[in-house]
Amino acid sequence: MFSIREMTGADLDHVLALREDWLGGEPETSVRPESVVRWFGAYCGNDRACALVARINDVCVGYCLISWHRHPTMTGTLAEIDEIHVAQAWSRQGIGRQLVDRARKMLEAKIDGLTAIRARVDRQDDDARAFWRALGYEHFALEYMDYLD
């Protein structure tokens, strides 16, 4: 059985290793860019963001990064699931669904005036799109992004 809780600084290396494995890196030998370490670390103890980790015994098997801000055009607050991942060996066992469910409950408890929860996915990632549809999320918009170096 797995457990889900808020991420602490002690989880950071485990979460980053899980992410590197997902992105095809070599967790044992890779040098983590300082910007990535700062980005993930900023979710701990932040009053506008948090992260959840899913663990089985002492092994991190999934995580969910969440942030929120005032909605730019509506009254209230918009929450965003910035990133979610479950290790391949543990996928399709309800862990991702439980991470999203726990995130939603936490957001509803923490934020007065929560108006929406948004999750962005790669339009070519059929599995991710199916995951969000199965959770009741609706396809809303197509976004274009220019990543600046």
Side-chain angles (χ1 to χ4, degrees), residues 7 12 14-24 35-37 39-41 43 49-54 62-68 79-87 95-96 99-100 103 117-122 125 128 131-132 147:
M7 183 175 82
L12 191 56
H14 299 281
V15 169
L16 288 170
L18 182 61
R19 183 176 195 263
E20 289 162 355
D21 185 52
W22 168 38
L23 296 176
S35 60
V36 173
V37 175
W39 175 43
F40 272 70
Y43 284 87
C50 78
L52 300 174
V53 293
Y63 66 89
C64 181
L65 307 177
I66 310 131
S67 61
W68 52 91
E80 297 194 49
I81 301 200
D82 298 321
E83 191 167 297
I84 184 170
H85 175 65
V86 174
I95 297 171
L99 281 165
V100 172
I117 301 172
R118 175 171 51 195
R120 294 183 181 150
V121 298
D122 184 330
D125 190 340
F131 170 76
W132 290 108
Y147 290 100

Side-chain angles (χ1 to χ4, degrees), residues 65-82:
L65 307 177
I66 310 131
S67 61
W68 52 91
H69 53 85
R70 300 293 300 162
H71 196 285
T73 59
M74 297 170 43
T75 302
T77 300
L78 170 68
E80 297 194 49
I81 301 200
D82 298 321

Side-chain angles (χ1 to χ4, degrees), residues 121 123 129 133 136-143:
V121 298
R123 66 179 169 193
R129 290 180 20 211
R133 276 194 308 270
Y137 284 67
E138 298 175 14
H139 179 242
F140 182 69
L142 178 63
E143 293 186 351

Side-chain angles (χ1 to χ4, degrees), residues 97-108:
R97 177 181 292 273
Q98 288 298 316
L99 281 165
V100 172
D101 185 52
R102 180 73 60 88
R104 181 184 188 104
K105 288 176 182 170
M106 184 222 39
L107 288 165
E108 289 173 341

